[in-house]
Amino acid sequence: MESHYHEFGSTDNSSVGGEHKTTVQTDMKRIVVCVLYGVLVLLLLILLMVIGINFSQLHKEITDVKLNLERISDGKTSFTSATTVEVFLPSLVPVRGTCMEGWVSFQTSCYVLASTAMIWSKAEEQCQRHGGHLVVLNNVEELDYISKVVDIKYNYWIGLVEREHEGHWSWVDGTNFNSTPILWDNDQPDNWEYYSENGEDCGQIHASKRRKRKMLNDADCNLPYHFICETRP
């Protein structure tokens, strides 16, 4: 009887050990499955983040294209980028050349920088009395010349105006606005109506602390600023 009982006990211990081994294997499988599931979820999250970033960039690019198309369709063609790069310039002593007394010469035009301030319409009338008009900036070289000779602490009226519809700019001498490299300042023209019910319908160049290429800005036509006249000798 003792021998038989001993054999029965040995068989029972083997069964318990087998069950323990099976339980350990099951737990290991669960751990492996959990780890693999966690890795899969992590990879899925990373994939979603990458897709989200790419989608945001694509959305921004589409928005920029739409804005550019709207500007072109509205007649606001501009050759500037979203953020204007500052171009610093040296000062220049102007020369009279073949121009009349008090005027200075550059290429085929003569210019005078008014020392008094007037509203835009009065400034244009003053230029016309001298056989000219407010300056028309036909190219970057002309803009840079003006930027080198002006007094940087003043704003100056130029010959740019909205005569009919908002966004339809024109030069006073009839030059096609879209044929010239219009270098607007950052976020300009903005037609800011804070100070004026009529918005900002006249073009100017900004004052600055350092001498640099003057970028264009729209302003209230009824504000008095210095101005630049242009004529041909």
Side-chain angles (χ1 to χ4, degrees):
M1 287 292 294
E2 292 180 0
S3 175
H4 178 72
Y5 181 80
H6 179 72
E7 290 177 0
F8 181 81
S10 300
T11 303
D12 184 66
N13 289 338
S14 175
S15 176
V16 171
E19 291 178 358
H20 178 70
K21 183 177 180 181
T22 301
T23 302
V24 171
Q25 290 176 345
T26 302
D27 290 342
M28 288 296 295
K29 288 180 179 179
R30 289 176 180 174
I31 292 172
V32 171
V33 169
C34 290
V35 170
L36 291 175
Y37 180 76
V39 171
L40 181 61
V41 170
L42 180 61
L43 292 174
L44 181 60
L45 289 174
I46 293 173
L47 179 61
L48 290 174
M49 289 176 62
V50 171
I51 293 174
I53 292 172
N54 289 337
F55 180 78
S56 297
Q57 292 175 344
L58 179 62
H59 182 267
K60 182 179 182 302
E61 291 175 358
I62 292 174
T63 301
D64 291 341
V65 170
K66 286 182 177 179
L67 289 174
N68 288 332
L69 290 175
E70 288 175 359
R71 289 173 181 171
I72 292 172
S73 64
D74 290 340
K76 293 182 179 180
T77 305
S78 174
F79 297 94
T80 57
S81 59
T83 302
T84 302
V85 177
E86 291 186 332
V87 178
F88 295 101
L89 300 168
S91 60
L92 179 68
V93 178
V95 295
R96 177 180 174 182
T98 58
C99 299
M100 68 184 82
E101 183 72 27
W103 293 62
V104 295
S105 176
F106 177 72
Q107 294 182 346
T108 59
S109 292
C110 295
Y111 307 88
V112 65
L113 280 60
S115 58
T116 57
M118 297 182 181
I119 64 174
W120 189 92
S121 59
K122 295 296 183 183
E124 173 63 7
E125 289 176 6
Q126 187 71 13
C127 292
Q128 290 179 3
R129 289 194 188 100
H130 291 86
H133 49 72
L134 286 170
V135 63
V136 173
L137 300 169
N138 293 282
N139 50 59
V140 176
E141 291 76 19
E142 187 175 18
L143 176 60
D144 283 351
Y145 170 77
I146 295 297
S147 302
K148 293 175 182 179
V149 299
V150 295
D151 190 330
I152 62 174
K153 66 176 177 289
Y154 294 123
N155 296 317
Y156 287 88
W157 286 127
I158 61 175
L160 190 61
V161 62
E162 287 180 306
R163 295 192 185 277
E164 298 178 1
H165 306 292
E166 183 63 35
H168 290 264
W169 291 89
S170 60
W171 291 108
V172 291
D173 69 343
T175 298
N176 186 346
F177 175 78
N178 293 323
S179 70
T180 58
I182 310 302
L183 300 174
W184 292 110
D185 209 341
N186 288 328
D187 302 320
Q188 301 299 331
D190 59 0
N191 195 41
W192 198 32
E193 298 180 354
Y194 185 79
Y195 287 116
S196 173
E197 295 180 356
N198 299 321
E200 299 179 315
D201 298 330
C202 294
Q204 61 154 213
I205 54 176
H206 275 308
S208 59
K209 293 182 179 179
R210 293 183 60 183
R211 187 170 297 278
K212 60 182 181 179
R213 177 179 293 161
K214 298 289 188 178
M215 309 309 292
L216 309 189
N217 174 56
D218 59 336
D220 182 351
C221 301
N222 295 314
L223 293 176
Y225 292 127
H226 289 65
F227 56 96
I228 306 168
C229 296
E230 178 182 7
T231 188
R232 295 294 174 88

